[in-house]
Amino acid sequence: MKNTIFNLRRLRRAGALLLASVTGATHAAGGVVPSSIALVSASAAHGGMLIAPAEPLLLPPLAPLRADVRPVTLAQLEDQLRRPELQASIGKGSIAVVYPNVEEPFRSAFIAMIQGIEERTKLKVRSYPVDPKMDIAELNATLKRNGTKVVIALGRQGLNATAGLDREIAVLAGGVLLLSDAENVMGISMTPDPAMLFSRLRALLPELKRVIVVYNPQKSEWLVKLAREAARAQGLELQAHVAGDLARAAQLYTQLIGAADNRHDAVWLPHDSTTVEESTILPLVLRESWNSGVPLFSSNVLHVKKGALFAMVPDNVELGRTLAASALGVIAGDVRRRPLVPLRELQTAINLRTASHIGLNLGALQQRSFDFVYPQP
């Protein structure tokens, strides 16, 4: 009887966690920027963080859920999780993880994701480190032999390794920067959800009216479409400008920031290697923003250390839990094809020096609402 009660409690917990994933529009996999992974310390990576956190933590509220997500009741999920064939398949290793065979500090980020996956499944999952010389046919045979139904592919290398797998093995992409839905994979791009970025921006700067972004459509069209909806939900205008090369991006930034109103306008830097090129464009934008007092926020946490007001960074362990919930959903029969979606498993970093420079004085309570604070004490 005690075992029955214990198992039912486990099912309710698993069902609640999976419900949170479904209603959060995160039925796919997510990712981490390689440059951000480089910030992982041994202790922070264990907790799924990329840099040492400020404490205590008060996480920002989630943005409104997407309207295209079909709600699933906890009772329905519990029924699925009680199915004997589902429990048996999980125990036999039907969920596998393929991740890059890389050295530290990159390895720690992927290990933290695997930790989250195992926490959600309550089981040890089979993990396969891969490198460019991996025999894909051998990997496919091994996965089939072990009864794998879902592969969680971490990192670009892990995702590439799944290209030759049998069609009956579902693949969820995670830990990789997916910039275009043309890649035709189920996954969550590591780029932060604009809805969460804009929600945090609105909370910091309630008088803000417009967000300016310069982007290359070949890389970020899908993200800008989401950003338009997210901005509208926050009562903001998204002013998006197209730049196909570095020269045009530099020209636009100079013009736009020069004409911006530092009380009502802000500049957003998405993950776009054309318009947010690190060696030329980023220093230019940081300088123009600082001189004009126009707030600058980013999708890349590294930019906060360099002077951006704030940015969001993946929570690796929580990302792993979401990936596991998605995999459990696939095993339970949820095989609907989903579009590429941005990452919602996030933590936030703030630059207090930049905040003070633009006249934003954050008290101790507000500072504690951020996970990472720069400059570090």
Side-chain angles (χ1 to χ4, degrees):
M1 179 65 178
K2 290 182 178 179
N3 288 337
T4 301
I5 295 174
F6 174 73
N7 288 334
L8 182 57
R9 287 173 177 169
R10 286 184 60 187
L11 286 169
R12 288 186 178 277
R13 285 198 299 269
L17 290 169
L18 184 53
L19 177 61
S21 173
V22 173
T23 58
T26 53
H27 281 275
V32 166
V33 192
S35 58
S36 297
I37 297 174
L39 292 174
V40 177
S41 65
S43 60
H46 178 73
M49 302 174 221
L50 298 182
I51 45 182
E55 56 181 357
L57 304 181
L58 295 174
L59 298 180
L62 292 178
L65 300 178
R66 287 177 49 174
D68 61 347
V69 178
R70 186 182 68 180
V72 178
T73 67
L74 180 57
Q76 288 174 322
L77 292 171
E78 286 182 341
D79 287 342
Q80 291 180 339
L81 292 168
R82 285 193 184 98
R83 287 162 49 186
E85 65 270 24
L86 174 58
Q87 293 297 315
S89 65
I90 296 173
K92 291 178 181 178
S94 60
I95 298 176
V97 179
V98 176
Y99 68 99
N101 186 21
V102 292
E103 301 296 329
E104 296 293 357
F106 298 89
R107 188 179 186 88
S108 293
F110 294 120
I111 295 304
M113 293 178 203
I114 295 173
Q115 174 190 333
I117 293 168
E118 293 180 339
E119 287 179 3
R120 181 62 64 90
T121 61
K122 307 297 183 184
L123 292 166
K124 186 77 173 176
V125 299
R126 295 180 183 271
S127 300
Y128 303 88
V130 297
D131 55 46
K133 297 181 180 180
M134 165 68 68
D135 186 329
I136 304 302
E138 181 179 344
L139 174 64
N140 185 61
T142 300
L143 292 170
K144 290 178 63 177
R145 186 167 58 250
N146 292 331
T148 304
K149 291 182 173 58
V150 183
V151 169
I152 299 174
L154 302 180
R156 175 62 62 180
Q157 202 164 280
L159 182 59
N160 290 343
T162 66
L165 299 184
D166 286 1
R167 290 184 176 274
E168 59 262 30
I169 299 177
V171 176
L172 300 175
V176 60
L177 178 59
L178 301 171
L179 283 175
S180 172
D181 47 13
E183 294 197 62
N184 196 32
V185 297
M186 288 192 296
I188 302 175
S189 176
M190 50 64 53
T191 195
D193 191 335
M196 298 187 71
L197 282 169
F198 297 169
S199 177
R200 172 61 81 167
L201 178 68
R202 200 73 159 120
L204 280 172
L205 302 168
E207 294 185 5
L208 202 73
K209 295 181 179 179
R210 183 170 60 173
V211 173
I212 299 168
V213 62
V214 179
Y215 75 105
N216 183 343
Q218 293 183 349
K219 301 177 183 296
S220 307
E221 183 66 42
W222 72 279
L223 184 63
V224 170
K225 288 181 180 178
L226 293 179
R228 291 187 192 280
E229 299 175 7
R232 192 178 303 113
Q234 293 293 331
L236 297 169
E237 174 193 351
L238 183 71
Q239 188 182 89
H241 299 266
V242 172
D245 54 44
L246 299 185
R248 179 57 177 162
Q251 181 184 41
L252 280 172
Y253 280 124
T254 302
Q255 293 174 352
L256 294 170
I257 296 176
D261 178 346
N262 59 16
R263 291 181 61 249
H264 299 132
D265 296 336
V267 176
W268 168 38
L269 299 180
H271 283 300
D272 190 313
S273 57
T274 299
T275 65
V276 194
E277 187 270 335
E278 299 285 328
S279 63
T280 303
I281 301 297
L282 181 61
L284 167 68
V285 178
L286 287 169
R287 182 177 65 252
E288 295 290 334
S289 171
W290 182 270
N291 291 340
S292 65
V294 174
L296 176 71
F297 67 104
S298 178
S299 295
N300 188 339
V301 71
L302 294 177
H303 297 165
V304 177
K305 295 185 69 174
K306 297 178 180 181
L309 176 61
F310 79 93
M312 288 185 162
V313 56
D315 180 333
N316 295 326
V317 173
E318 189 59 36
L319 177 57
R321 295 189 186 110
T322 298
L323 290 167
S326 299
L328 289 170
V330 172
I331 293 174
D334 184 2
V335 294
R336 292 169 296 164
R337 191 73 188 178
R338 305 187 185 283
L340 180 67
V341 294
L343 182 66
R344 296 181 63 89
E345 292 73 27
L346 297 162
Q347 296 174 312
T348 313
I350 184 77
N351 187 310
L352 295 181
R353 180 169 176 263
T354 300
S356 178
H357 178 73
I358 65 173
L360 180 61
N361 297 311
L362 301 175
L365 183 61
Q366 286 178 293
Q367 290 181 30
R368 286 195 292 269
S369 71
F370 292 88
D371 304 286
F372 313 114
V373 176
Y374 295 103
Q376 292 178 333

